[in-house]
Amino acid sequence: MSNDETLRFTVSLPQSLFEEIESDIDARGYQSRSEYIRDLFRDRIVDKQWNNSLEDVVGVLTLIFDHHQRGLSEKLIEIQHNHLVHILCSTHVHIDHHRCLETIILKGQATEVNQLVNKISVLKGVNLARLSRAGIV
């Protein structure tokens, strides 16, 4: 059997989960359940490889935070400067009077990137800190 050969297998799901998946498939415009499931598997494999990598990894940290929170901007900058993670680029956007959205492209060892994200995500005034694992360098 070659690595490219397509295999079929059966999956059992509770009906409520199946209906949720069907709704998501329709909403996202997938042509088949198979392609939807392949994408889920690929995402899971990327996460596993990313976290287990001994090479540098690249990720995008998306933040939403209250820029009126006293000292938060300084803490964010200090954390970024003091970690062994390379900040390749950041973009800062004002969503409204109180909230900002910032994306930060990170490169470094997965454990260091995860530590930086954890330190930022617990800061008072940070409403969202979501890391997208983009790849292994």
Side-chain angles (χ1 to χ4, degrees):
M1 182 180 328
S2 73
N3 290 338
D4 300 271
E5 188 175 337
T6 300
L7 302 174
R8 292 182 173 266
F9 63 96
T10 303
V11 176
S12 299
L13 299 171
Q15 184 167 346
S16 61
L17 180 57
F18 178 79
E19 290 169 0
E20 186 72 33
I21 289 170
E22 287 292 295
S23 175
D24 198 36
I25 288 169
D26 289 342
R28 293 174 182 258
Y30 278 94
Q31 298 300 309
S32 69
R33 285 185 205 111
S34 293
E35 191 55 42
Y36 179 83
I37 298 299
R38 280 191 287 272
D39 277 354
L40 290 176
F41 287 177
R42 286 183 197 113
D43 285 347
R44 190 63 165 245
I45 290 167
V46 166
D47 284 350
K48 178 183 163 199
Q49 290 173 338
W50 199 91
N51 283 320
N52 293 331
S53 175
L54 299 176
E55 304 295 321
D56 280 352
V57 296
V58 177
V60 180
L61 175 59
T62 303
L63 300 174
I64 296 179
F65 61 92
D66 180 353
H67 76 263
H68 289 293
Q69 179 65 46
R70 179 177 287 145
L72 179 57
S73 294
E74 293 81 8
K75 288 177 188 172
L76 289 171
I77 291 169
E78 183 179 332
I79 289 170
Q80 292 177 55
H81 279 276
N82 291 336
H83 259 270
L84 299 174
V85 173
H86 303 286
I87 308 298
L88 301 178
C89 176
S90 67
T91 303
H92 184 97
V93 179
H94 303 278
I95 297 174
D96 56 32
H97 183 69
H98 290 280
R99 295 177 302 151
C100 295
L101 180 140
E102 192 162 330
T103 58
I104 306 167
I105 301 175
L106 310 163
K107 178 182 174 185
Q109 291 292 298
T111 54
E112 289 290 327
V113 171
N114 287 328
Q115 286 174 1
L116 181 137
V117 171
N118 291 339
K119 282 190 175 185
I120 289 175
S121 67
V122 300
L123 293 174
K124 186 174 183 179
V126 173
N127 304 114
L128 171 79
R130 179 167 295 150
L131 177 64
S132 299
R133 292 164 177 89
I136 299 169
V137 181

